Amino acid sequence: VARIFLVTDYGLDDEFAGVLHAVIARLAPDASVIDLSHGVAPFDVAGAAALLARAAPHLGPGVVCAVVDPGVGGGRRAVAIEVDGDGPRHLVGPDNGVLTEAARAFGIRRAVELRRASDLASTFEGRDLFAPVAARLATGARLSDLGEPLDVDSLVEPPRALVATRATPDGHVALLATVRWIDRFGNVQLNVPGRAIAESSTLGVVVKGEDALVRVVSTFADLDPGTAGLLRDANDAVALVVAQGSAAERFDVAVGDHVELVGSFGPLS
Amino acid sequence: VARIFLVTDYGLDDEFAGVLHAVIARLAPDASVIDLSHGVAPFDVAGAAALLARAAPHLGPGVVCAVVDPGVGGGRRAVAIEVDGDGPRHLVGPDNGVLTEAARAFGIRRAVELRRASDLASTFEGRDLFAPVAARLATGARLSDLGEPLDVDSLVEPPRALVATRATPDGHVALLATVRWIDRFGNVQLNVPGRAIAESSTLGVVVKGEDALVRVVSTFADLDPGTAGLLRDANDAVALVVAQGSAAERFDVAVGDHVELVGSFGPLS
Amino acid sequence: VARIFLVTDYGLDDEFAGVLHAVIARLAPDASVIDLSHGVAPFDVAGAAALLARAAPHLGPGVVCAVVDPGVGGGRRAVAIEVDGDGPRHLVGPDNGVLTEAARAFGIRRAVELRRASDLASTFEGRDLFAPVAARLATGARLSDLGEPLDVDSLVEPPRALVATRATPDGHVALLATVRWIDRFGNVQLNVPGRAIAESSTLGVVVKGEDALVRVVSTFADLDPGTAGLLRDANDAVALVVAQGSAAERFDVAVGDHVELVGSFGPLS
């Protein structure tokens, strides 16, 4: 049975997400629809792209339909992407970067610009374009049935924060990272791969001029409740955490803020 | 496979919505259940009725089960309505207006007052009455199995705000509308059909004594980000919007507030 | 078709709950997954245990997977419990009390400590351990395939507030109860069985030094809107309510607060 994975910024109070389910059920009655999240902040393309990249390795076969689309109805392209690997075969959405990181991680085979059924502008392309296309792919349509091929190098890339390093006077390395995600529990994921930090080491953390020394641990339970630490999180990224508490509150950080780590590091890419 | 569409004011923090799913799964194991929304504000019958009317044309066959019910356990009737058309065949819920607008749009064939299994008052009729009835209808029960026929003209109508017009001294028309819905993005839907406004015209908008001139556009992307406009929205109603922003915040309006549009208009019904 | 019932404190903004669905869909494609709630407050084991105990009698056959786990990755055991009755046959989760009350209500047959696939600590055992185990149970695995038997008397019990009574000078009984749950509507469920109160009686309610006289009614509609009352709620517990309003706001109470009822009572257990 085919599966369709949804990511939107629709929220769950309005009927938008439910209507996507209904539209898919009509066109692909046997497909099973899984809500990855409808809680992306309104218009937050980068947040949705990061969420999808985190979830993608765990999805298995199916079709991703991601609709976070500040430019709905405008000039930006609507696309379907076919990828390699044993995860989702297709990703559908606006060409604004929401799909690209997850698609590149699988390896892009080809992509098309979606043909619209009507010349009329729609203000709800999730309902009128993206969900129907996802349903058609779930029932066996081929990419070539859906639109014209496009140059995959022309797909819009999400903005990506870089990781910078510098040597400190006392022979350490200072790594300037960016907060990529804060989850419901206040764990602060950085744009640094997990292998950059070595378990049992101690690192300096500098945020907004304040610094602290924290231990690198393997899991929350290695820290006393209320204590801060660094760990390789469930996406194998570096996360700043507080056991049974919120690191985001403790360090007063938000997505996009900079966090400097000071000490010794493994490979950064 | 039969589908059941749920609308409630239960929220998603408590187990109420999950228990409806479980009850339905026991009685109609093959039915597929689609959550239109459980985020209706507590006791907001008019909001749920509007949501259901917006979603209804997109649902396809199935059974609607809507439970927003300030009078639970009281004298108000519990009903099941059978309708025409190629959408849901049945709508189930309290007779307080939550179902009536959507049902009338399809065309009502007949309705019954639901028989209760017990004389005992229930404080959770979603679980104990409405979901079981929806499950029975999804598995082929007929309306006559569920209760006694009632006069469909006696079904409670939702309160409906009227649209009033007056001529202005300078030869325009002033249309007094009411805010019917504000979605997650802050788009402000008015109780005015989309055909009343002509694309590319400019209209005056008067809210709480403040006025502004805005353009009628066909989609968000026709407006510069941050700019207000009017458009025919995805439900073919007139909506006051701000591109990539919240019109509800910009104009400081809530559901039920009045908005006056000034200019020339097409048919209002 | 097998059913899996989920309870977590993951919320719905992050992709955590969606990833559980995806993991289960890969391992048990025919299972149907029902979200009881992902809105448990972060780390609120007692709240999740109460929610699960309330929902359990209505679930029917299946597997419960409950992940509210402040001690993730630490020394606490991961368990699967097999129970009697016609509800869920298995309950899976951390051994921190989240499962125990619901399991004991069905009658515990046996339990195992789950074997982990890897020695590596995980920070997302919902994805890496509990959901896969639930999927395996849904597809016919036996408890003995999953780990080593444990002494069911050693399962961690949730903290449980006691109900205390004393005689008042004027010959009544004062019953000191604890707020166990406040639902979305502000109804205040106490840790007192429904049969303790007799319909049509009047009881004193003492909260934080303030007292009020309220009627015991059978349902909300027996009260004028805005009026407080006591009733046997949909879980057959005593609830302090306000018709079409919030009793939690009226009496300014939170979960864990004490409420004293004064009058005459039926059996308390």
Side-chain angles (χ1 to χ4, degrees):
Chain A
V1 63
R3 283 191 282 277
I4 296 175
F5 304 98
L6 300 180
V7 180
T8 78
D9 60 351
Y10 291 163
L12 291 170
D13 287 345
D14 301 312
E15 72 278 13
F16 303 135
V19 167
L20 293 200
H21 278 256
V23 165
I24 292 170
R26 297 176 75 171
L27 297 172
D30 294 329
S32 144
V33 182
I34 291 179
D35 298 303
L36 292 179
S37 175
H38 298 289
V40 172
F43 309 133
D44 182 9
V45 174
L51 185 155
L52 186 57
R54 294 191 304 267
H58 306 285
L59 300 183
V63 179
V64 167
C65 179
V67 192
V68 178
D69 195 11
V72 60
R76 64 99 189 91
R77 298 181 295 194
V79 298
I81 305 173
E82 186 173 313
V83 297
D84 292 319
D86 57 356
R89 174 58 44 95
H90 296 107
L91 300 93
V92 176
D95 180 28
N96 60 12
V98 68
L99 304 172
T100 321
E101 179 178 353
R104 293 226 186 282
F106 287 118
I108 298 180
R109 280 192 185 170
R110 63 181 70 86
V112 296
E113 177 173 356
L114 297 175
R115 204 180 298 119
R116 286 178 173 77
S118 150
D119 287 342
L120 292 180
S122 168
T123 57
F124 190 1
E125 290 206 320
R127 179 190 74 190
D128 298 333
L129 178 64
F130 297 118
V133 163
R136 291 189 60 195
L137 287 166
T139 53
R142 284 171 310 172
L143 228 51
S144 54
D145 302 331
L146 301 170
E148 294 304 308
L150 58 80
D151 174 6
V152 300
D153 291 328
S154 73
L155 289 168
V156 172
E157 300 288 335
R160 200 182 288 231
L162 293 180
V163 176
T165 58
R166 63 181 172 82
T168 64
D170 56 351
H172 285 115
V173 171
L175 187 164
L176 189 69
T178 302
V179 175
R180 187 166 155 82
W181 176 42
I182 292 172
D183 73 15
R184 186 188 202 207
F185 303 95
N187 301 308
V188 176
Q189 189 182 74
L190 304 177
N191 62 336
V192 178
R195 61 181 169 282
I197 57 173
E199 207 177 316
S200 303
S201 66
T202 296
L203 294 174
V205 173
V206 187
V207 183
K208 299 182 180 177
E210 304 276 328
D211 52 44
L213 276 178
V214 306
R215 265 199 313 144
V216 176
V217 295
S218 71
T219 186
F220 295 94
D222 298 334
L223 297 165
D224 291 328
T227 303
L230 287 161
L231 50 73
R232 294 168 74 138
D233 72 8
N235 307 114
D236 206 8
V238 172
L240 179 61
V241 306
V242 166
Q244 296 179 39
S246 166
E249 283 184 18
R250 172 75 56 86
F251 292 93
D252 188 23
V253 290
V255 169
D257 283 352
H258 292 299
V259 171
E260 195 171 51
L261 303 181
V262 183
S264 299
F265 299 95
L268 290 177
S269 58
Chain B
V1 61
R3 284 192 281 278
I4 296 175
F5 304 98
L6 300 179
V7 180
T8 78
D9 60 352
Y10 291 164
L12 291 170
D13 287 344
D14 301 313
E15 73 278 13
F16 303 135
V19 167
L20 293 201
H21 278 255
V23 165
I24 292 169
R26 297 177 75 171
L27 296 172
D30 294 329
S32 144
V33 182
I34 291 179
D35 298 303
L36 292 180
S37 175
H38 299 289
V40 173
F43 309 132
D44 182 9
V45 174
L51 184 155
L52 186 58
R54 292 191 305 267
H58 307 284
L59 299 182
V63 179
V64 167
C65 180
V67 192
V68 177
D69 195 10
V72 59
R76 64 99 190 92
R77 298 180 295 192
V79 298
I81 305 173
E82 187 174 312
V83 297
D84 291 320
D86 58 355
R89 174 59 43 96
H90 296 106
L91 301 92
V92 177
D95 180 27
N96 60 13
V98 69
L99 304 173
T100 320
E101 180 179 350
R104 292 226 187 281
F106 287 118
I108 299 180
R109 280 192 186 169
R110 61 182 72 86
V112 295
E113 177 173 358
L114 298 175
R115 205 179 296 116
R116 288 180 171 74
S118 148
D119 287 342
L120 291 181
S122 168
T123 57
F124 190 1
E125 290 205 319
R127 178 190 75 190
D128 298 333
L129 177 64
F130 297 118
V133 163
R136 291 189 61 196
L137 286 166
T139 53
R142 284 172 309 174
L143 228 51
S144 54
D145 301 330
L146 301 170
E148 294 304 309
L150 57 79
D151 173 5
V152 300
D153 291 328
S154 73
L155 288 168
V156 172
E157 299 289 334
R160 199 181 287 230
L162 292 180
V163 175
T165 57
R166 62 180 172 83
T168 64
D170 56 353
H172 286 114
V173 172
L175 186 163
L176 188 69
T178 303
V179 175
R180 185 165 157 83
W181 176 41
I182 291 172
D183 72 15
R184 189 193 200 205
F185 302 95
N187 300 309
V188 175
Q189 189 181 75
L190 304 177
N191 63 336
V192 178
R195 64 181 166 280
I197 57 174
E199 208 175 315
S200 304
S201 65
T202 296
L203 294 174
V205 173
V206 187
V207 184
K208 298 182 181 174
E210 305 275 327
D211 50 45
L213 276 179
V214 306
R215 264 199 312 145
V216 176
V217 294
S218 72
T219 185
F220 295 95
D222 298 334
L223 297 165
D224 291 329
T227 303
L230 288 161
L231 50 73
R232 294 168 75 138
D233 72 6
N235 307 114
D236 206 7
V238 171
L240 179 60
V241 306
V242 167
Q244 297 181 38
S246 166
E249 284 184 16
R250 171 75 56 86
F251 292 93
D252 188 24
V253 289
V255 170
D257 283 354
H258 292 299
V259 172
E260 195 173 48
L261 304 181
V262 182
S264 298
F265 300 94
L268 291 175
S269 59
Chain C
V1 61
R3 283 191 283 276
I4 296 175
F5 304 98
L6 300 180
V7 181
T8 78
D9 60 353
Y10 291 164
L12 291 171
D13 288 344
D14 302 312
E15 73 279 13
F16 303 136
V19 167
L20 293 201
H21 278 256
V23 165
I24 291 169
R26 296 177 74 171
L27 297 171
D30 294 329
S32 144
V33 182
I34 290 178
D35 298 303
L36 292 180
S37 175
H38 299 288
V40 172
F43 309 133
D44 182 8
V45 174
L51 184 156
L52 186 56
R54 292 191 305 266
H58 308 283
L59 299 183
V63 178
V64 168
C65 180
V67 192
V68 177
D69 195 10
V72 58
R76 64 99 189 91
R77 299 181 295 195
V79 298
I81 306 174
E82 186 173 312
V83 298
D84 291 320
D86 57 356
R89 174 57 47 94
H90 295 106
L91 300 93
V92 177
D95 180 27
N96 61 12
V98 69
L99 305 172
T100 321
E101 180 179 351
R104 292 224 186 284
F106 287 117
I108 298 180
R109 279 193 185 169
R110 62 182 71 86
V112 296
E113 178 173 356
L114 298 175
R115 206 179 296 118
R116 287 180 174 74
S118 149
D119 286 343
L120 292 179
S122 168
T123 56
F124 191 1
E125 290 206 321
R127 179 190 74 188
D128 298 333
L129 178 64
F130 296 117
V133 163
R136 291 188 60 195
L137 286 166
T139 53
R142 283 170 310 173
L143 227 52
S144 55
D145 301 330
L146 301 170
E148 294 303 309
L150 59 78
D151 174 6
V152 300
D153 291 328
S154 73
L155 288 168
V156 171
E157 299 288 337
R160 199 182 288 230
L162 293 181
V163 175
T165 57
R166 64 182 171 82
T168 65
D170 57 352
H172 285 115
V173 171
L175 186 163
L176 189 69
T178 303
V179 175
R180 185 166 157 82
W181 176 40
I182 292 172
D183 72 16
R184 186 191 201 207
F185 303 94
N187 300 309
V188 175
Q189 189 181 73
L190 304 177
N191 62 336
V192 178
R195 62 181 169 280
I197 57 174
E199 207 175 316
S200 304
S201 65
T202 296
L203 294 174
V205 173
V206 187
V207 182
K208 299 182 179 175
E210 305 277 328
D211 51 43
L213 275 179
V214 306
R215 264 199 313 145
V216 176
V217 294
S218 71
T219 185
F220 294 95
D222 298 334
L223 297 164
D224 291 329
T227 304
L230 288 160
L231 51 71
R232 294 168 76 139
D233 72 9
N235 307 114
D236 207 7
V238 172
L240 180 60
V241 306
V242 167
Q244 296 179 39
S246 166
E249 283 183 18
R250 170 75 55 87
F251 292 95
D252 188 22
V253 290
V255 169
D257 283 353
H258 293 300
V259 171
E260 195 171 53
L261 304 181
V262 183
S264 299
F265 300 95
L268 290 177
S269 58

